Amino acid sequence: MPLIDGLTTIWDKLMSAQPDPPPLLVLLTAVVAVAVVATRLPWRISRNAVTIAHEGGHALAALLTGRKLRGIRLHSDTSGLTLSVGRPTGPGMILTLLAGYVAPSLIGLAGAWLLTGNRITLLLWLAVALLLAMLVRIRNVFGVLSLLVTGGVVLAVSWYASPQVQAAFAWTSVWFLLFGGVRPVWELQQLRSRGRMPESDADQLARLTPFPPLFWVGVFLLVSLAALAAGALLLAGPILTDWGLTG
């Protein structure tokens, strides 16, 4: 049947593994990601992707802990807001607040794990699916446009681009999330030290727990650095193999 044949073709495309990437591609995509995160204007433009992951982390944690998600807003200054309803204290609220700053790094780590099996198409389509799921919860025009543009780019690459372009895009994106998950934590503490973020996630967590805001900033940083280290080891597999450092 044509429908079954079409679904089978899509499934095979989704689950197929691409060849191992050249070690040079892995290295160059890491360099590009570092350059984007470390450079002011590229970071200012690309940071919105980190904000999407951040707010998505809040939203997912809220739903998983039984809170009612009221909506997500993404702003042109790369800030965002996720509103949920439920108990103002307790584990659900704590996990919801905790999830934001660690989400980009953990998503990057999950992406790195998929790339170790060269599941590039699966990675890209999962990204599109998550963006679509998030889209229905967006409550402002800029947020809708941000998700449509981001999802459209990922979908176009996954469907029309050559395998080489898909690989470069996927590796760069995952490296970017791993490195990009660290910088917002640093920026958070800088703003807090100037008294410019009194309602940050860390400060809200401090009011709900016995631990001070700096402790939670440290937790954010520790998780982000651990995810970066683990993800880098996973992504660097082709380089280590090329250098004869793996069995």
Side-chain angles (χ1 to χ4, degrees), residues 28-46:
L28 288 178
T29 53
V31 171
V32 169
V34 170
V36 170
V37 172
T39 309
R40 183 175 180 179
L41 182 58
W43 171 245
R44 175 67 179 78
I45 296 171
S46 61

Side-chain angles (χ1 to χ4, degrees), residues 3-179:
L3 178 59
I4 295 178
D5 291 341
L7 292 174
T8 301
T9 300
I10 292 175
W11 178 257
D12 290 341
K13 180 180 177 65
L14 183 63
M15 299 306 296
S16 63
Q18 294 189 357
D20 290 338
L24 182 60
L25 180 143
V26 177
L27 181 60
L28 288 178
T29 53
V31 171
V32 169
V34 170
V36 170
V37 172
T39 309
R40 183 175 180 179
L41 182 58
W43 171 245
R44 175 67 179 78
I45 296 171
S46 61
R47 194 186 192 282
N48 192 57
V50 176
T51 302
I52 291 173
H54 179 114
E55 300 305 329
H58 282 315
L60 180 60
L63 292 172
L64 291 177
T65 56
R67 298 179 63 81
K68 183 178 180 181
L69 184 61
R70 298 191 63 179
I72 304 168
R73 300 177 69 88
L74 302 172
H75 304 134
S76 58
D77 63 354
T78 72
S79 65
L81 178 66
T82 298
L83 296 175
S84 62
V85 178
R87 287 185 58 194
T89 59
M93 190 65 200
I94 292 172
L95 290 173
T96 299
L97 289 168
L98 179 62
Y101 276 99
V102 302
S105 298
L106 294 180
I107 293 172
L109 180 58
W113 177 74
L114 285 174
L115 289 182
T116 59
N118 295 324
R119 306 292 182 181
I120 295 174
T121 302
L122 178 60
L123 170 65
L124 297 178
W125 284 22
L126 281 174
V128 172
L130 291 173
L131 290 168
L132 287 175
M134 190 174 174
L135 180 62
V136 301
R137 300 289 187 168
I138 294 293
R139 296 296 181 263
N140 67 323
V141 174
F142 181 82
V144 170
L145 291 175
S146 295
L147 288 183
L148 287 177
V149 170
T150 305
V153 170
V154 177
L155 181 60
V157 170
S158 70
W159 196 260
Y160 297 108
S162 67
Q164 294 79 11
V165 172
Q166 289 184 20
F169 181 84
W171 255 265
T172 302
S173 299
V174 171
W175 278 120
F176 171 76
L177 286 173
L178 290 170
F179 286 112

